[in-house]
Amino acid sequence: MKTALITDAIDAVHAAILAHESEIESLDRAIGDGDHFVNLKRGLSTLSAMREELLPLAPDFALQKMGMKLLSTIGGASGPLFASFFMAMAASMKTQGDDGNAAVATAFAAGVESIKQRGKAGLGEKTMLDVLIPVADVFSRKTAEHAAMPELLAAIEASAEAGMLSTRDLVATKGRAAFLGERAIGHIDAGAKSTQVMISAVCRMLEQSQK
Ligand code: ADP
Ligand code: MG
């Protein structure tokens, strides 16, 4: 893996999040406190501005630096969670390497595991993890099956979409929405939506680069 892929992914994710501003904002306003888009925007513009500083670094060092920076720039529940995701990915790449889909899938799974631990949350709690956990599973499974790139990307996108939609009918047991009890039913979780948008943006960027 090359670090330029990480910086290109940041740009793709940044553009996709900006394009979904009103949707993410209104979801977090419905069952959160309405700051999720602003938190993401701040984090992503910080990461975009780091491009030149990241490019000379090996992927694991770049991810580590991104995580550290996010800790001090994004607020809310989501800031430390995204920060721990990048730092755990960095740690995995340091020991398991970063070459090939299997190594990236292993690092992604380590990142998701770190979010689970830091947020003390799992599947079905109406958070970003309802997207991340199934995506990590399908990423590892398809990679183990040596699926071709288009099939792998399509499976990841479909899984992110299904995970995001699954949060609509859940009661939240973590985060601010947990205070609403049954009233959160019928609303998609903002963090699940933004995570699906980010994953889909990276998949589309990779699809384009295949052509
Ligand atoms: P805050 O909730 O502090 O306002 P944000 O609005 O930036 O922070 O992020 C809210 C999102 O964070 C939620 O939509 C949810 O997806 C995610 N989230 C909240 N708590 C947790 C947790 N314990 N584990 C995983 N994700 C969480
Ligand atoms: Mg919020």
Side-chain angles (χ1 to χ4, degrees), residues 11-188:
D11 291 343
V13 163
H14 195 182
I17 288 297
L18 294 182
H20 286 80
E21 170 172 3
S22 58
E23 196 177 356
I24 295 167
E25 207 153 54
S26 68
L27 289 175
D28 196 40
R29 227 178 291 121
I31 55 169
D33 57 354
D35 64 348
H36 186 55
F37 173 79
V38 173
N39 288 338
L40 288 174
K41 189 175 152 180
R42 186 179 309 123
L44 285 162
S45 47
T46 304
L47 294 182
S48 292
M50 292 171 76
R51 186 180 187 92
E52 297 308 317
E53 177 188 348
L54 296 175
L55 278 173
L57 305 176
D60 58 336
F61 281 99
L63 288 163
Q64 172 71 22
K65 202 158 205 160
M66 287 162 57
M68 303 278 283
K69 190 80 174 183
L70 285 185
L71 263 187
S72 60
T73 48
I74 324 192
S78 59
L81 296 175
F82 287 123
S84 73
F85 175 80
F86 289 124
M87 292 196 275
M89 270 195 94
S92 168
M93 287 185 171
K94 212 166 285 260
T95 55
Q96 321 270 330
D98 58 42
D99 206 18
N101 287 345
V104 180
T106 299
F108 187 89
V112 173
E113 192 54 41
S114 157
I115 293 185
K116 282 161 75 175
Q117 277 169 21
R118 183 169 282 241
K120 299 186 176 56
L123 197 66
E125 301 203 71
K126 203 177 179 97
T127 71
M128 58 173 80
L129 284 168
D130 291 314
V131 172
L132 290 169
I133 293 172
V135 165
D137 289 347
V138 83
F139 194 177
S140 297
R141 185 161 43 80
K142 287 284 174 191
T143 313
E145 291 167 4
H146 303 289
M149 205 58 179
E151 184 191 334
L152 172 66
L153 296 172
I156 288 175
E157 269 200 83
S159 160
E161 174 92 18
M164 176 272 288
L165 291 175
S166 78
T167 65
R168 194 196 303 265
D169 299 325
L170 294 171
V171 171
T173 40
K174 288 288 170 350
R176 293 176 196 278
F179 297 111
L180 295 175
E182 306 239 315
R183 276 178 293 155
I185 293 178
H187 300 278
I188 288 168

